[in-house]
Amino acid sequence: MLEVAVLSGIGVCAGVTGGPLLRIAAAPALPAPVPVDDVEAEVQRAVAALAEVVADLSRRADRAADETVAEVLRAEALMADDEELRDAVREHVEGGADAPHAVDAAFGAFREMFAEAGGYLAERVADLDDLRDRAVAVLLGLPMPGVPQPGFPYVLAARDLAPADTADLDPEQVLALVTEIGGPTSHTAILARALGLPAVVACPGVLGVAEHTLVLVDGSTGRVEVGVSAASVAAAGALAEAAIDDNAEPGRTADGHAVKLLANVGSVKNVPAADQAHAEGIGLFRTELLFLDRTSEPTRDEQIGAYRDVFRAMAGRRVVIRTLDAGADKPLPFLKQEGEPNPALGIRGLRVARQRPDVLTTQLAAIAAAADDCGADVWVMAPMVSTLTEATAFAAAVHEAGLPKAGVMIEVPAAALRAADLLRAVDFLSIGTNDLSQYTFAADRMCGDLAELLDPWQPALLQLIAICGAAGRDTGKPVGVCGEAAADPLLAPVLAGLGVSSLSMSPRALPGVRAALGRYSYAECRRLADLAVAAPDAAAARKLMG
Ligand code: PEP
Ligand code: MG
């Protein structure tokens, strides 16, 4: 009988799989310092190593099959191509350090600054460590550290994953990702979702597991079983196959209660994946992703082009397009927003229209022009709505632009509590559970240390969803979920039972959610929903699903 140990982390990309565990190649060790004779030559050696790292990352970005991966790699290359970093390296060499030690010290100082800043910057610490390791490896003439290529499928374990690692990551070989640190929004989580790999982050102890041990990873529950049998691994593989071998049936419970299964997209590039997963439409088109790197406002015509591409590709189906969700974790440079003491509580989402109503008017006009004659059923919604006044004004602006369907996102507890009121002003609601968790629990969604508060199984979050679902049932208007919670197959029956009429998610999550939903009758979903809301904590709520 095998002794199976269980490790727990945070599941960030759903799916169950298993295989032998391998760790990412170790970082190069720094040799003993050597005296520097020619300071200028040593500085140039260090600077050339940084340049080599930048060039390598840019080459990988160009080769990356996935645009999210490419963008992340380019961002990492930008971090290494930094004047302040080169100045810091020079200072350390002038202070007597050889090139590898100067590079190490310069990155070390930035690392400390980022870690102290917390939140988003703290989650970039893994990127800095990776850049340092790469530059040091170049200087020592060692191969750059990276992902193992053993020639057989395996579960990859790492302290955290740097974007550069994932460029070498072959989804045919890597079955799942498990990292010791990281949070729900760290690059590991973002990239795992983009690649559709089951992933668990913040899983202490995973680096202590001996290489080649068989493990089972559950990217929904965050559970990692260590030392399992080959038969368990094979059974998990069969389950995953069943999920992939999906039919194109619309989403519904075992007894036929419909729950539309929709895809989240950022541009037309994501539409093929949505089609492949048989999405019934788009439940969240995040328009700001098109403009994240823009320093000038996109013109009306540019916007029409980008929106029309998606609408036309989805002819005959629903597309819920969201107006720009700028601010906080998604600053748009062209808006030139002032620094705010608490950006997540500041001018973001629809609130930007208070200062720049023209941006919203232009966008709605562009959406209306793109929607004209495109064949898709275009619905428009606003992010970060808190009050009936805001919802009413937004609906009026949408109708003024000639668009028939206006909705709002529920991301703020105030809006959830008043869902019935809001549904008098708008045609539909879409619950953004990522932000709704953040604002309900006063827990920064970028903060890995608070991840258990951001767990979508938190009964308080489910209670707010229940209020929205009840308002939807009473009025007969659609209430969807488009945050990450919608991608959790275990949660799908509970959300359906709470009154949610559509689930919108990363396309890769769709087959699992469809299969899970089909296992329960609607009456069972409602019973599970009541029990989950009444549960004392997230773990107890999740346990209801066995
Ligand atoms: C959300 O907050 O749940 C959501 C879907 O919006 P975003 O993740 O883009 O903020
Ligand atoms: Mg949001």
Side-chain angles (χ1 to χ4, degrees), residues 17-260:
T17 188
L21 176 138
L22 293 180
R23 281 191 290 270
I24 211 148
L30 273 177
V34 293
V36 175
D37 299 330
D38 182 343
V39 168
E40 198 47 43
E42 198 66 2
V43 170
Q44 289 318 317
R45 206 162 80 78
V47 168
L50 289 173
E52 169 57 33
V53 171
V54 173
D56 179 62
L57 290 169
S58 308
R59 277 193 298 272
R60 285 158 192 260
D62 293 342
R63 279 203 313 260
D66 184 282
E67 194 45 35
T68 311
V69 174
E71 273 166 26
V72 168
L73 284 169
R74 282 189 203 107
E76 205 188 348
L78 263 183
M79 283 169 87
D81 190 13
D82 181 78
E83 200 59 53
E84 276 183 52
L85 180 69
R86 286 189 287 270
D87 289 347
V89 167
R90 170 176 287 279
E91 262 174 44
H92 286 289
V93 176
E94 286 172 354
D98 58 32
H101 286 89
V103 164
D104 179 60
F107 275 110
F110 278 91
R111 182 186 207 290
E112 221 166 276
M113 250 159 37
F114 277 36
E116 264 171 29
Y120 179 84
L121 281 181
E123 288 193 7
R124 304 283 85 81
V125 159
D127 304 359
L128 284 176
D129 288 347
D130 177 64
L131 290 171
R132 185 220 30 226
D133 292 345
R134 285 171 187 279
V136 171
V138 171
L139 284 164
L140 299 178
L142 297 172
M144 292 210 197
V147 171
Q149 312 273 356
F152 55 80
Y154 66 99
V155 172
L156 178 64
R159 195 173 132 67
D160 198 359
L161 274 188
D165 297 327
T166 56
D168 293 331
L169 202 149
D170 174 2
E172 298 290 309
Q173 277 202 24
V174 177
L175 299 161
L177 305 173
V178 185
T179 62
E180 197 173 50
I181 61 168
T185 54
S186 61
H187 276 143
T188 304
I190 295 170
L191 292 161
R193 284 186 209 115
L195 296 168
L197 290 176
V200 174
V201 300
C203 184
V206 70
L207 292 182
V209 176
E211 290 215 295
H212 299 281
T213 305
L214 290 181
V215 298
L216 264 189
V217 179
D218 186 334
S220 279
T221 60
R223 196 176 149 94
V224 179
E225 291 179 34
V226 178
V228 297
S229 65
S232 312
V233 167
L239 258 181
E241 284 295 312
I244 292 163
D245 186 20
D246 180 50
N247 60 37
E249 293 288 314
R252 58 186 171 214
T253 60
D255 55 344
H257 173 82
V259 178
K260 265 192 183 297

Side-chain angles (χ1 to χ4, degrees), residues 262-275:
L262 309 169
N264 291 354
V265 301
S267 78
V268 72
K269 285 191 212 137
N270 306 128
V271 170
D275 279 337

Side-chain angles (χ1 to χ4, degrees), residues 416 431 433 436 456 460-470 479 481 485 491 495 498-500:
I431 307 172
T433 46
L436 188 56
L461 178 76
L462 298 178
Q463 195 170 345
L464 290 173
I465 297 174
I467 293 172
C468 302
V479 172
V481 170
L491 193 56
L495 294 175
L498 291 173
V500 165

Side-chain angles (χ1 to χ4, degrees), residues 284 286 322 325 330 409 411 432-435 445 482-483:
L284 170 61
R286 288 181 162 106
R322 177 172 77 182
D325 187 18
K330 287 175 285 194
M409 288 189 75
E411 303 191 282
T433 46
N434 308 336
D435 277 313
R445 63 189 270 187
C482 64

